[in-house]
Amino acid sequence: MRPSARAPAELRPIRITRQFTKHAEGSVLVEFGDTRVLCTASVEERVPPFLKGKGRGWVTAEYGMLPRATHTRMQREASRGRQDGRTMEIQRLIGRALRAVMDLEALGERTITLDCDVIQADGGTRTAAITGSFVALADAMRYLVGKKSVKKSPLHGQVASVSVGIYRGVPVLDLDYAEDSEAETDMNVVMNDAGAFIEIQGTAEGHAFRMEELQAMLALARSGIEDLLRKQRDALGLVG
Amino acid sequence: MRPSARAPAELRPIRITRQFTKHAEGSVLVEFGDTRVLCTASVEERVPPFLKGKGRGWVTAEYGMLPRATHTRMQREASRGRQDGRTMEIQRLIGRALRAVMDLEALGERTITLDCDVIQADGGTRTAAITGSFVALADAMRYLVGKKSVKKSPLHGQVASVSVGIYRGVPVLDLDYAEDSEAETDMNVVMNDAGAFIEIQGTAEGHAFRMEELQAMLALARSGIEDLLRKQRDALGLVG
Amino acid sequence: MRPSARAPAELRPIRITRQFTKHAEGSVLVEFGDTRVLCTASVEERVPPFLKGKGRGWVTAEYGMLPRATHTRMQREASRGRQDGRTMEIQRLIGRALRAVMDLEALGERTITLDCDVIQADGGTRTAAITGSFVALADAMRYLVGKKSVKKSPLHGQVASVSVGIYRGVPVLDLDYAEDSEAETDMNVVMNDAGAFIEIQGTAEGHAFRMEELQAMLALARSGIEDLLRKQRDALGLVG
Amino acid sequence: MRPSARAPAELRPIRITRQFTKHAEGSVLVEFGDTRVLCTASVEERVPPFLKGKGRGWVTAEYGMLPRATHTRMQREASRGRQDGRTMEIQRLIGRALRAVMDLEALGERTITLDCDVIQADGGTRTAAITGSFVALADAMRYLVGKKSVKKSPLHGQVASVSVGIYRGVPVLDLDYAEDSEAETDMNVVMNDAGAFIEIQGTAEGHAFRMEELQAMLALARSGIEDLLRKQRDALGLVG
Amino acid sequence: MRPSARAPAELRPIRITRQFTKHAEGSVLVEFGDTRVLCTASVEERVPPFLKGKGRGWVTAEYGMLPRATHTRMQREASRGRQDGRTMEIQRLIGRALRAVMDLEALGERTITLDCDVIQADGGTRTAAITGSFVALADAMRYLVGKKSVKKSPLHGQVASVSVGIYRGVPVLDLDYAEDSEAETDMNVVMNDAGAFIEIQGTAEGHAFRMEELQAMLALARSGIEDLLRKQRDALGLVG
Amino acid sequence: MRPSARAPAELRPIRITRQFTKHAEGSVLVEFGDTRVLCTASVEERVPPFLKGKGRGWVTAEYGMLPRATHTRMQREASRGRQDGRTMEIQRLIGRALRAVMDLEALGERTITLDCDVIQADGGTRTAAITGSFVALADAMRYLVGKKSVKKSPLHGQVASVSVGIYRGVPVLDLDYAEDSEAETDMNVVMNDAGAFIEIQGTAEGHAFRMEELQAMLALARSGIEDLLRKQRDALGLVG
């Protein structure tokens, strides 16, 4: 029995709110249950030094948690003077996930920065961030199409992410904090809308996981991500 | 004529939403027009080193802006590795303002940290932060009273803040970004519910301001703050 | 009765020594009683990135305290690896104050940096720094006029600063450390030679201050600053 | 055809040299072909703050590259003043992998730090680091058994790691730099001697990978890791 | 011919002013010609962690340059966020030199910090800093004797320092900036009042120096230091 | 009697292994007894900003210790976020020593960086680093000659270094850790193959050293360095 009384293959209630703030070219509040992440996509007409003059753009991400997004207050990274290893790991993951569905040549010499700020944390913040960032990125691409900076959206696919794990011996989908803090294994899966993998990160927290457990988790992830991809399309008003 | 078509002595629409997030002992979303600041109050059973063993508590504040709270994206302070001078100035101001209405002895050896994170910026983020933080602090004190950690709330007054300035030669109340970026003088005023000053910070951006301009701004501030104090009481369900 | 036996409206002995060191274009030791601050003005033929190519110059300030300028030794900011909030607040204030009397277009693409280093602290270091920096800046402008880099001094006015406060219930001028550490209210005022305000920063340390206390402090500040402006002119050999 | 002319399922020549340096309790030079990593295990009779007084020990890892371990010189992290995201990601991975085979209660209040310093890089430095660190850790445990600090080794299993990937469409084992820089997919797998997974980290660099490619890579990884576990036992003089 | 028209074995005019500032237990302005360094000695009733509970004291030094002590403005180390290699080298040297004449057991569990801040630089700042710091340290020891914290001064000797070099082929004493920036060899020598060496740091800037040049420089240093030791005694009112 | 049973004027066994790693243009493992330092020379076709467009090159050095090169583990400088004073002092020394035998004009607009990483420390790491770096630098110059980037090697001499000290009252050559930690005086000497001094750094750890002790140490250093220069030539296959 899951703490939330969900079935093993059941996602939390998912909400995707576009235009949550007014300045960013894409601004999405994504909610996976009580996990709330604000994802903004900012367009800048410049590229990082290693891309200068190559005719290609870049997509990158930054991740942060408000200090009291969590049960107990965490020290603010800005006041501590550096981002910790977990933050860096997550923002690198988000960036890679989104670049996997973007045609950087078609983007032109621009940088899109996805800022993923966790307003409230209840497990799965990185998977929510990826799922919400895709929608923010799609909106930013519509903005560029709208002002004719690009002919058509340089996005060539959709990307979404969900966590799976082994909770009390049972493979479950989309772990919340109560499950996550107790799970034996935790895996984050990123897939595209062709059903292929962009990233798999699985960690045994308690005992190591066997091949059949891995297969069960992958199956759960695939079905959960299909659902998330559908919700992204709904949010963007796409048929399908 | 103000860009927002407001009268000179008119505040923007003010909204104060309590319990905006679930983990913090006080959590308030405060809105001054399009300026939105999330203020959380966190209670910790410890004091900073300089207060250890003195039987007194502490109230402090931290301030941050989400990178895309603004028209153009600002670099994330956590990734730059330090908070800039403006951030430090503001968080010191918020902390002083709230300590001015708190009986730190009655609080006992506890620290209350107000985290003020700007979700969307449109001028006046520091005055909104002070005004909203008071409500979050009041909620945190109710929480302490509720669990009998203190007998009654250690707050001995209310505090609120508003900006005033000279815009195109006219003294105006509660400047938004369009006015602020063009104002000749900008002053932030913090007052308590006894009508006394806790802080005045006035800066001539363009020409220096004369004594009579100062007096006009102070009068505007006083009336605006009275209004804000009333809205705080309404939000907290207090008569008065 | 003030600890120094001064009358409420009496400044400490003020001394302004020009050419205190030999390398800087302006170098002034300013003394407000036992408070001694070395203010140097350095001319550099470059502007910060945000001003490049705009035909305008910049005036900025940095502030520091020697570790044993104070009663007990403070940690050196250079060894701690960062400037604290108070330092940043002060150097931003000094910079704003001086820019208020400078025609940055007439200065041309140059940066003037005022370094204000406190040799000995006894209260009022920031107001001494502003008052002394103006003289150092005037000397640096004379240097530029002398080498014909500018036709005439781009300074269009004078600026000076003093602190006022409520000490044991009485409004007093130019607080020394003994008063400052005990004052109920502390206000720093910056004015120009037209009698207009450039900056007001008042903070209630103990109880909040009432409107009539504010008015009394402003009157004291105005008369003190008039005196300081006269001493600046004397030091610079100006008639008037 | 692989650049090294290896068969798809063939490891590079593996060498494990114990007691490579004299001060550390465990000191192993591990070589996966031209990749050379020095892994030292240091025993310290203290635990990090979060474990104080809990009767449990800790195993942690740090990772570094000598600046010219690579084709072109990289800036030294110590002189740049911070470790980058990749370094943090890798050292967190190594630490988790080794803790997965360690009984931290049996270790007692001690910290074992694995320092993994890359002397020469040619792909797969993190997998070599994990594989070599296990041997260094085993030596450090023998040291503790030898001085009777623990009754028997707190290790309850073996751990090793290898990379797999899709190179020019073919699943291959243990990628060297020439392959890695061109691979479409790169996956690092960490397993124990029971054949279960401790960590899987797979990233699509080029196109996303399909389920059957994932299965082929997992099979390669399993067989490569079995081989590495055998080499660890040989190096440690264990039967089997 | 030296730029200053001094004879090769001639020191610059040396001035040692005690009680230059009022808060420090020892406060000395030392001048070697135009080089001016403020040396303060601060007594603190604590020792660094590595000495806790050992019944011994510590003497340490910090060194800084005011940004415009030099011909062109140098960036403030506090704003840059770190001390550079030269600063660290110098403050380590000053600390070692003073510890060489101090009985740390007799000092008891106290730390004396020498802050050496260069007000104006014209070559030889580190040798002036050592020479002046000794006098500040002696004053701080008198302060401790005066309040009966120690029975007698824990100083068991005097220490002074001077630079020597090869300027245009000629060995010279006490180089000023004009010589220093052009010298082929530059050597800083620290000696005690028994005529023995505490530190020698010689660097060939241009061509390497031969044994006979070294001997000539050592002889110059010895005679210069004898002179400086005498001036220290004069300043301290010692017969000698 | 020395702990190692060496005669006072006897070096430890010296080994110089070229091409220790494969990527660097020069890569030398130098061993002074149990002290082992990896010195790599990296050629980069750029110069630091202060040399841009001047037609001259630069030689610089960086120094690091692996965390467990020493008896007890030292914190990694990269994780602590800064290099300490000792590291900076040493890398500045190595850079100066090598520049003393290099014709920077003949090198052209290139930077050679010597990375000296201590694999195992047993005293004298900086002298080993200088001695080994010279060989790595010579190899890098051969590489430049080989690809015709320079006509002939810009090296105009050899440089080597050794430590000398007073151990239990006796002047000794090439101190190991057991001697170094107990020596009364420790001096590092850098000389060229013309028998002239490039650098002398002598520090009295216990009592100050007298002139005759200095002379004895200098004589030992000279003979030791002659030996080291010969071993460098042997390693480089030079006659002589």
Side-chain angles (χ1 to χ4, degrees):
Chain A
M1 186 62 152
R2 305 178 71 171
S4 59
R6 279 185 285 151
E10 189 182 343
L11 289 172
R12 289 177 282 182
I14 306 295
R15 257 175 312 182
I16 297 176
T17 308
R18 290 162 64 205
Q19 293 170 317
F20 188 74
T21 57
K22 70 173 184 176
H23 297 307
E25 285 74 34
S27 175
V28 167
L29 182 76
V30 62
E31 296 170 83
F32 278 33
D34 276 347
T35 288
R36 287 197 258 161
V37 185
L38 173 55
C39 308
T40 59
S42 296
V43 177
E44 287 168 301
E45 297 290 322
R46 52 167 197 78
V47 285
F50 70 91
L51 279 181
K52 242 169 218 159
K54 303 213 170 146
R56 271 162 49 206
W58 191 239
V59 174
T60 186
E62 291 197 357
Y63 172 94
M65 275 223 192
L66 297 196
R68 196 56 196 281
T70 44
H71 281 80
T72 55
R73 187 177 183 271
M74 295 181 317
Q75 206 192 340
R76 191 175 285 267
E77 289 188 323
S79 80
R80 198 172 34 176
R82 55 187 199 124
Q83 297 178 303
D84 68 16
R86 179 184 170 277
T87 294
M88 291 207 190
E89 227 173 273
I90 293 175
Q91 61 195 16
R92 285 157 55 88
L93 169 67
I94 301 170
R96 282 196 308 269
L98 293 169
R99 286 193 295 277
V101 291
M102 176 64 98
D103 179 347
L104 296 171
E105 314 257 332
L107 177 58
E109 291 217 352
R110 292 184 176 89
T111 297
I112 316 299
T113 304
L114 279 307
D115 283 293
C116 301
D117 285 279
V118 179
I119 304 291
Q120 188 170 276
D122 190 39
T125 62
R126 80 189 69 187
T127 57
I130 290 168
T131 304
S133 286
F134 172 76
V135 179
L137 182 58
D139 270 340
M141 292 308 100
R142 287 176 177 187
Y143 161 86
L144 285 178
V145 171
K147 59 184 285 227
K148 301 204 185 339
S149 300
V150 295
K151 277 193 209 130
K152 60 186 212 61
S153 171
L155 284 167
H156 54 66
Q158 259 178 277
V159 60
S161 175
V162 80
S163 74
V164 283
I166 310 286
Y167 175 72
R168 303 201 173 169
V170 180
V172 293
L173 178 68
D174 187 23
L175 289 74
D176 57 29
Y177 178 78
E179 291 167 329
D180 194 26
S181 56
E182 213 191 300
E184 293 139 51
T185 287
D186 179 23
M187 184 151 73
N188 295 295
V189 180
V190 185
M191 295 180 83
N192 65 16
D193 56 339
F197 296 99
I198 287 168
E199 191 105 14
I200 297 179
Q201 292 193 342
T203 301
E205 305 283 349
H207 72 262
F209 50 101
R210 294 182 312 277
M211 182 60 91
E212 59 272 25
E213 291 173 319
L214 172 59
Q215 303 299 353
M217 290 190 286
L218 291 173
L220 279 178
R222 175 179 282 200
S223 98
I225 287 173
E226 273 168 21
D227 209 359
L228 292 168
L229 293 164
R230 206 172 305 121
K231 286 177 201 300
Q232 288 176 335
R233 286 191 298 270
D234 287 351
L236 287 163
L238 296 173
V239 182
Chain B
M1 187 60 152
R2 305 179 71 173
S4 59
R6 280 185 284 152
E10 189 182 344
L11 290 172
R12 288 176 283 181
I14 308 294
R15 257 178 309 182
I16 297 175
T17 308
R18 289 162 64 207
Q19 293 169 315
F20 188 73
T21 56
K22 70 173 187 179
H23 297 306
E25 286 74 34
S27 174
V28 167
L29 182 77
V30 61
E31 297 170 84
F32 277 33
D34 276 347
T35 287
R36 286 197 257 163
V37 184
L38 173 54
C39 308
T40 60
S42 296
V43 176
E44 288 168 300
E45 297 290 322
R46 51 166 198 75
V47 284
F50 70 92
L51 280 181
K52 243 170 216 157
K54 303 213 169 146
R56 271 163 49 208
W58 192 239
V59 174
T60 187
E62 292 198 357
Y63 172 93
M65 275 223 193
L66 298 196
R68 195 57 195 283
T70 44
H71 281 80
T72 55
R73 187 177 183 272
M74 296 180 316
Q75 205 191 343
R76 189 176 287 266
E77 289 188 323
S79 79
R80 198 174 33 177
R82 56 187 198 121
Q83 297 179 302
D84 68 14
R86 179 183 171 278
T87 293
M88 290 206 192
E89 227 174 273
I90 293 176
Q91 60 195 16
R92 284 158 55 89
L93 169 65
I94 301 170
R96 282 197 307 269
L98 293 169
R99 285 193 297 276
V101 290
M102 176 64 97
D103 180 345
L104 295 172
E105 314 257 332
L107 176 58
E109 292 217 352
R110 294 186 175 85
T111 297
I112 316 299
T113 303
L114 280 306
D115 284 292
C116 302
D117 286 278
V118 180
I119 305 291
Q120 190 169 273
D122 190 38
T125 63
R126 81 188 71 185
T127 58
I130 290 169
T131 304
S133 285
F134 172 76
V135 179
L137 182 57
D139 270 339
M141 292 307 99
R142 288 177 177 186
Y143 161 86
L144 285 178
V145 171
K147 60 184 283 228
K148 301 204 184 347
S149 299
V150 295
K151 276 193 207 131
K152 60 190 212 62
S153 170
L155 284 167
H156 55 65
Q158 260 179 276
V159 61
S161 177
V162 80
S163 74
V164 283
I166 310 288
Y167 175 74
R168 304 200 171 170
V170 180
V172 293
L173 177 68
D174 187 25
L175 290 74
D176 58 29
Y177 179 78
E179 290 167 329
D180 194 27
S181 57
E182 213 190 300
E184 292 139 53
T185 287
D186 179 23
M187 183 151 73
N188 294 296
V189 180
V190 185
M191 296 180 83
N192 65 17
D193 55 340
F197 295 100
I198 288 168
E199 191 106 12
I200 297 178
Q201 293 193 340
T203 300
E205 306 282 349
H207 71 264
F209 51 100
R210 295 181 311 277
M211 183 61 91
E212 59 272 24
E213 290 173 319
L214 172 60
Q215 303 298 352
M217 288 190 287
L218 290 173
L220 278 179
R222 175 178 281 199
S223 98
I225 286 174
E226 273 167 22
D227 211 358
L228 291 169
L229 293 164
R230 205 172 306 121
K231 286 179 202 297
Q232 287 177 336
R233 285 192 298 271
D234 288 350
L236 286 163
L238 295 173
V239 182
Chain C
M1 187 61 152
R2 305 179 71 173
S4 60
R6 280 185 283 152
E10 190 183 343
L11 289 173
R12 289 176 282 181
I14 308 294
R15 257 176 310 182
I16 296 176
T17 308
R18 289 163 62 208
Q19 294 169 316
F20 188 74
T21 56
K22 70 174 187 178
H23 298 306
E25 285 74 34
S27 173
V28 166
L29 183 76
V30 62
E31 297 169 85
F32 278 33
D34 276 347
T35 288
R36 287 196 256 162
V37 184
L38 173 55
C39 309
T40 59
S42 296
V43 177
E44 288 168 299
E45 297 290 323
R46 50 168 198 76
V47 284
F50 70 92
L51 281 180
K52 243 170 218 160
K54 305 213 169 147
R56 272 162 50 206
W58 192 239
V59 174
T60 186
E62 291 198 357
Y63 172 92
M65 276 222 190
L66 297 196
R68 196 55 196 282
T70 44
H71 282 82
T72 55
R73 185 177 186 272
M74 295 181 317
Q75 206 192 339
R76 189 176 286 267
E77 289 188 322
S79 80
R80 197 174 31 176
R82 54 188 200 125
Q83 296 180 303
D84 68 15
R86 179 185 171 275
T87 294
M88 291 206 190
E89 225 173 275
I90 294 176
Q91 61 196 15
R92 284 157 56 88
L93 169 65
I94 301 170
R96 283 197 305 268
L98 294 168
R99 285 194 296 275
V101 291
M102 176 64 97
D103 179 347
L104 295 171
E105 315 257 331
L107 176 58
E109 293 217 353
R110 294 185 175 86
T111 297
I112 316 297
T113 304
L114 278 307
D115 284 292
C116 301
D117 285 278
V118 180
I119 305 290
Q120 191 170 273
D122 190 38
T125 62
R126 81 188 71 187
T127 58
I130 290 168
T131 305
S133 286
F134 172 76
V135 180
L137 182 58
D139 271 340
M141 292 308 98
R142 288 176 177 187
Y143 161 87
L144 285 178
V145 170
K147 59 184 288 226
K148 302 205 179 355
S149 300
V150 294
K151 276 192 208 134
K152 60 186 213 60
S153 171
L155 284 166
H156 54 66
Q158 260 178 275
V159 61
S161 176
V162 79
S163 73
V164 283
I166 311 285
Y167 174 74
R168 303 199 174 172
V170 180
V172 294
L173 178 67
D174 187 22
L175 289 74
D176 57 30
Y177 179 79
E179 291 167 329
D180 193 26
S181 56
E182 214 189 301
E184 293 139 51
T185 287
D186 180 22
M187 183 151 73
N188 295 296
V189 180
V190 184
M191 296 179 82
N192 65 17
D193 55 340
F197 296 99
I198 288 168
E199 190 108 13
I200 296 179
Q201 293 193 341
T203 300
E205 306 281 350
H207 70 263
F209 51 102
R210 295 181 311 275
M211 183 60 91
E212 60 271 26
E213 291 174 317
L214 172 60
Q215 303 299 351
M217 290 190 286
L218 290 173
L220 278 179
R222 175 179 282 199
S223 100
I225 286 173
E226 272 169 19
D227 210 357
L228 291 168
L229 292 163
R230 206 173 305 120
K231 287 179 202 296
Q232 288 177 336
R233 287 191 297 271
D234 288 352
L236 288 163
L238 297 173
V239 182
Chain D
M1 188 60 153
R2 305 178 71 172
S4 60
R6 279 187 283 150
E10 190 182 343
L11 289 173
R12 289 176 284 181
I14 307 295
R15 258 176 310 182
I16 297 175
T17 307
R18 289 162 63 205
Q19 294 169 319
F20 188 74
T21 57
K22 70 175 187 177
H23 297 307
E25 286 72 34
S27 174
V28 166
L29 182 77
V30 61
E31 296 170 84
F32 278 33
D34 275 347
T35 288
R36 285 197 259 162
V37 185
L38 175 54
C39 308
T40 60
S42 295
V43 176
E44 287 168 300
E45 297 290 322
R46 50 166 199 77
V47 284
F50 71 92
L51 280 181
K52 242 171 218 157
K54 303 214 171 147
R56 272 161 51 205
W58 191 240
V59 175
T60 186
E62 293 197 357
Y63 172 93
M65 276 222 191
L66 297 195
R68 197 55 196 283
T70 43
H71 281 82
T72 55
R73 186 176 184 272
M74 295 180 317
Q75 205 192 340
R76 189 176 287 266
E77 289 188 323
S79 79
R80 197 174 32 175
R82 55 185 199 126
Q83 297 178 302
D84 67 16
R86 179 185 171 276
T87 293
M88 290 206 191
E89 226 174 273
I90 293 176
Q91 60 196 16
R92 284 158 54 90
L93 169 66
I94 301 170
R96 282 197 307 268
L98 292 169
R99 285 195 294 277
V101 291
M102 175 64 98
D103 178 347
L104 295 171
E105 313 257 332
L107 177 59
E109 291 217 354
R110 295 186 173 87
T111 297
I112 316 297
T113 304
L114 279 306
D115 283 292
C116 301
D117 285 278
V118 179
I119 304 292
Q120 189 169 273
D122 190 39
T125 63
R126 80 188 71 186
T127 57
I130 291 169
T131 304
S133 285
F134 172 76
V135 179
L137 181 58
D139 270 340
M141 292 307 100
R142 287 176 178 186
Y143 162 86
L144 285 178
V145 170
K147 60 181 287 226
K148 301 203 182 352
S149 299
V150 293
K151 275 191 207 135
K152 60 189 213 59
S153 171
L155 284 167
H156 55 66
Q158 260 177 276
V159 61
S161 176
V162 79
S163 73
V164 283
I166 311 286
Y167 175 73
R168 304 200 172 172
V170 180
V172 294
L173 178 68
D174 187 24
L175 289 73
D176 57 29
Y177 178 78
E179 290 167 330
D180 194 26
S181 56
E182 213 190 301
E184 293 139 52
T185 286
D186 179 22
M187 183 152 73
N188 294 295
V189 180
V190 184
M191 296 179 83
N192 66 16
D193 55 339
F197 295 99
I198 288 168
E199 190 107 12
I200 297 179
Q201 294 193 340
T203 301
E205 306 282 349
H207 70 263
F209 50 101
R210 296 182 311 278
M211 182 60 90
E212 60 272 24
E213 290 173 319
L214 172 60
Q215 303 299 351
M217 289 190 287
L218 291 173
L220 278 178
R222 174 178 282 198
S223 99
I225 285 175
E226 272 168 21
D227 210 358
L228 291 168
L229 292 164
R230 205 171 306 120
K231 286 178 202 297
Q232 288 177 335
R233 286 193 297 271
D234 288 350
L236 286 163
L238 296 173
V239 183
Chain E
M1 188 58 152
R2 305 179 70 172
S4 59
R6 279 185 285 151
E10 191 182 342
L11 289 172
R12 288 175 284 181
I14 307 295
R15 258 177 309 182
I16 296 175
T17 307
R18 289 163 62 206
Q19 294 168 316
F20 188 73
T21 57
K22 71 173 186 177
H23 298 305
E25 286 74 34
S27 174
V28 167
L29 183 76
V30 62
E31 296 170 83
F32 278 33
D34 276 347
T35 288
R36 286 197 257 164
V37 185
L38 174 54
C39 308
T40 60
S42 296
V43 176
E44 288 168 300
E45 298 290 322
R46 50 166 199 76
V47 284
F50 71 92
L51 280 180
K52 241 169 219 160
K54 303 213 170 147
R56 272 162 50 206
W58 190 239
V59 175
T60 187
E62 292 197 357
Y63 172 94
M65 278 222 190
L66 297 195
R68 197 55 196 282
T70 45
H71 282 80
T72 55
R73 185 176 185 274
M74 295 181 316
Q75 205 192 340
R76 190 176 287 267
E77 289 188 323
S79 79
R80 197 174 30 178
R82 55 187 198 124
Q83 297 179 302
D84 69 14
R86 178 184 172 276
T87 293
M88 290 206 191
E89 225 173 276
I90 293 176
Q91 61 196 16
R92 284 158 55 89
L93 169 66
I94 300 169
R96 283 196 307 269
L98 293 168
R99 285 193 296 274
V101 292
M102 176 62 99
D103 179 346
L104 294 172
E105 315 256 332
L107 176 58
E109 292 217 353
R110 295 186 174 86
T111 297
I112 316 298
T113 303
L114 279 306
D115 283 292
C116 301
D117 285 279
V118 180
I119 305 291
Q120 189 169 273
D122 190 38
T125 63
R126 79 188 73 184
T127 59
I130 290 169
T131 304
S133 285
F134 172 76
V135 179
L137 182 58
D139 270 340
M141 292 307 100
R142 287 176 177 186
Y143 162 86
L144 284 179
V145 171
K147 59 183 283 226
K148 301 206 179 357
S149 299
V150 295
K151 278 194 204 129
K152 60 189 212 60
S153 170
L155 284 167
H156 55 65
Q158 260 177 275
V159 61
S161 175
V162 80
S163 74
V164 283
I166 310 287
Y167 176 73
R168 303 202 173 170
V170 180
V172 293
L173 178 68
D174 187 24
L175 289 73
D176 57 28
Y177 179 78
E179 291 167 330
D180 194 27
S181 56
E182 213 190 301
E184 294 139 50
T185 287
D186 179 22
M187 184 151 74
N188 294 297
V189 180
V190 185
M191 296 180 81
N192 66 17
D193 56 340
F197 295 100
I198 287 168
E199 191 107 12
I200 297 178
Q201 294 192 341
T203 300
E205 306 282 348
H207 71 262
F209 51 101
R210 295 182 312 276
M211 183 61 91
E212 59 272 24
E213 290 174 319
L214 172 59
Q215 303 298 351
M217 289 190 287
L218 290 172
L220 277 178
R222 174 179 282 199
S223 100
I225 285 174
E226 273 168 19
D227 210 359
L228 291 168
L229 292 164
R230 205 172 306 120
K231 286 180 202 295
Q232 287 177 336
R233 286 191 299 270
D234 287 352
L236 286 163
L238 296 173
V239 183
Chain F
M1 187 59 152
R2 306 178 71 172
S4 60
R6 281 185 283 151
E10 190 181 343
L11 289 172
R12 288 176 281 180
I14 307 295
R15 257 176 310 183
I16 297 174
T17 307
R18 290 163 63 206
Q19 293 168 317
F20 187 74
T21 56
K22 70 173 187 177
H23 298 306
E25 286 74 35
S27 174
V28 167
L29 182 77
V30 62
E31 296 170 85
F32 278 33
D34 275 348
T35 288
R36 288 196 256 163
V37 185
L38 174 55
C39 308
T40 59
S42 296
V43 177
E44 288 169 298
E45 297 290 323
R46 50 165 199 79
V47 285
F50 70 93
L51 280 180
K52 241 169 219 161
K54 302 213 169 145
R56 271 162 51 206
W58 191 240
V59 175
T60 187
E62 292 198 357
Y63 171 93
M65 275 223 192
L66 297 195
R68 196 55 196 281
T70 45
H71 281 81
T72 54
R73 187 175 184 274
M74 296 181 317
Q75 206 192 340
R76 190 176 286 267
E77 289 187 322
S79 78
R80 198 172 32 177
R82 56 186 199 126
Q83 296 179 304
D84 68 15
R86 178 184 171 276
T87 293
M88 291 206 190
E89 227 174 273
I90 293 176
Q91 61 196 17
R92 284 158 55 90
L93 170 65
I94 301 170
R96 284 196 306 268
L98 293 169
R99 285 194 295 275
V101 292
M102 176 63 99
D103 179 347
L104 294 172
E105 315 258 331
L107 176 58
E109 292 216 354
R110 293 186 175 86
T111 297
I112 316 297
T113 303
L114 279 306
D115 284 291
C116 301
D117 286 278
V118 179
I119 305 291
Q120 188 170 274
D122 190 39
T125 62
R126 79 188 74 186
T127 58
I130 291 169
T131 304
S133 285
F134 171 76
V135 179
L137 182 58
D139 270 339
M141 292 307 100
R142 287 177 177 186
Y143 161 86
L144 285 177
V145 171
K147 59 183 285 225
K148 300 206 178 4
S149 299
V150 294
K151 274 192 209 133
K152 61 187 211 58
S153 169
L155 284 167
H156 55 66
Q158 260 177 276
V159 61
S161 176
V162 80
S163 73
V164 284
I166 311 286
Y167 176 73
R168 303 200 172 170
V170 179
V172 294
L173 178 68
D174 187 23
L175 288 75
D176 57 29
Y177 179 78
E179 291 168 329
D180 194 26
S181 56
E182 213 190 300
E184 293 140 50
T185 288
D186 179 23
M187 184 150 74
N188 295 295
V189 180
V190 185
M191 296 180 81
N192 65 15
D193 56 338
F197 295 99
I198 287 168
E199 190 106 13
I200 296 179
Q201 293 193 341
T203 301
E205 305 282 350
H207 71 263
F209 51 101
R210 295 182 311 277
M211 183 60 92
E212 59 271 24
E213 290 173 319
L214 172 59
Q215 302 299 350
M217 288 191 287
L218 291 173
L220 277 179
R222 174 178 283 199
S223 101
I225 285 174
E226 273 168 19
D227 211 358
L228 291 168
L229 292 164
R230 206 173 304 121
K231 285 179 203 296
Q232 287 176 336
R233 288 191 297 271
D234 288 352
L236 287 163
L238 296 173
V239 183

